[in-house]
Amino acid sequence: KAGVTQTPRYLIKTRGQQVTLSCSPISGHRSVSWYQQTPGQGLQFLFEYFSETQRNKGNFPGRFSGRQFSNSRSEMNVSTLELGDSALYLCASYQGGGRETQYFGPGTRLLVL
Amino acid sequence: QQQVKQSPQSLIVQKGGISIINCAYENTAFDYFPWYQQFPGKGPALLIAIRPDVSEKKEGRFTISFNKSAKQFSLHIMDSQPGDSATYFCAATGVVYNFNKFYFGSGTKLNVKP
């Protein structure tokens, strides 16, 4: 099976712009989670989607939003970018049946200038 | 409240030595405990995982020790190699409030000196 894929891999934006990141989960996986990782920091949970519904949400401002499509692909959007949004954004998927682990994609490196 | 606490934050080990990373959890609903390895610029990759009904699991040089009564688990890397230099995350997952949830430790940056 192909792993989790994320596009684009790298992005450079300026403050105030918006950005959309895409994630394709492993085939058959219904859950997609998004994480933000900054240098030296752990994995900060953004949100989780399961069967097109947001199931969990982390403590991020409303500028961060997401959605999931019927084929389980997910997108994450950040509006009005700030310098502090520069980070590695990771997507992870799992089947959704319980007692299993998440599988991560390679991430999208976002740089906000 | 931090659900999974990981220590140390960083670790320096000589080549051939044993690297030990510790994690502790709070919620007894957790029933699966994976470890991830992350190299710079890459996504975390599943390394090894354990269920709470097992006290130890070994895969090659990597071993998880699990102490259910103490709610602690640890990763041991035997014969550590420079190629093991990476950040390691422990995690705990289980059904919390009717949903399967994942909680990650804060990570341990391992540096294996040649």
Side-chain angles (χ1 to χ4, degrees):
Chain A
K1 277 187 181 177
V4 178
T5 58
Q6 292 186 245
T7 57
R9 293 295 311 280
Y10 304 94
L11 263 180
I12 299 176
K13 293 285 188 178
T14 56
R15 278 182 300 174
Q17 285 187 310
Q18 76 164 20
V19 67
T20 299
L21 312 182
S22 181
C23 171
S24 291
I26 292 172
S27 177
H29 285 195
R30 295 178 294 169
S31 171
V32 173
S33 294
W34 289 89
Y35 296 85
Q36 181 196 65
Q37 187 177 37
T38 48
Q41 296 297 311
L43 299 163
Q44 305 298 315
F45 174 71
L46 281 154
F47 29 67
E48 178 195 3
Y49 286 87
F50 183 86
S51 294
E52 301 181 66
T53 301
Q54 187 181 88
R55 193 157 72 170
N56 290 308
K57 191 176 190 305
N59 296 323
F60 277 81
R63 300 185 296 107
F64 292 81
S65 63
R67 59 178 174 168
Q68 186 180 33
F69 302 95
S70 58
N71 61 358
S72 294
R73 191 177 69 85
S74 177
E75 287 183 347
M76 189 191 95
N77 185 276
V78 187
S79 62
T80 319
L81 284 166
E82 300 177 358
L83 296 179
D85 296 334
S86 295
L88 180 68
Y89 289 89
L90 293 159
C91 163
S93 76
Y94 75 104
Q95 206 160 16
R99 218 187 210 193
E100 53 188 307
T101 191
Q102 291 184 330
Y103 294 89
F104 284 86
T108 293
R109 172 78 59 189
L110 172 64
L111 176 61
V112 182
L113 301 176
Chain B
Q1 181 189 7
Q2 195 175 358
Q3 295 278 352
V4 180
K5 295 181 181 179
Q6 183 173 346
S7 63
Q9 190 174 357
S10 62
L11 183 60
I12 299 174
V13 173
Q14 289 295 126
K15 178 182 175 183
I18 302 174
S19 304
I20 302 175
I21 304 170
N22 301 299
C23 285
Y25 64 98
E26 290 295 325
N27 199 327
T28 55
F30 295 147
D31 60 5
Y32 199 56
F33 301 87
W35 284 88
Y36 291 85
Q37 178 188 56
Q38 184 181 28
F39 293 105
K42 307 289 185 183
L46 177 65
L47 187 62
I48 185 173
I50 195 168
R51 304 188 193 285
D53 52 350
V54 175
S55 62
E56 185 176 283
K57 183 174 181 180
K58 184 176 181 179
E59 287 184 4
R61 296 184 294 108
F62 300 90
T63 300
I64 301 178
S65 296
F66 190 86
N67 186 330
K68 189 173 182 178
S69 61
K71 293 190 286 185
Q72 294 175 347
F73 58 111
S74 59
L75 176 70
H76 296 235
I77 306 175
M78 313 299 288
D79 187 27
S80 298
Q81 300 296 312
D84 297 331
S85 297
T87 299
Y88 292 82
F89 293 94
C90 63
T93 176
V95 177
V96 179
Y97 302 120
N98 297 319
F99 294 125
N100 204 45
K101 289 197 174 183
F102 293 85
Y103 295 95
F104 289 88
S106 54
T108 296
K109 189 171 183 179
L110 172 64
N111 186 4
V112 181
K113 296 285 192 182

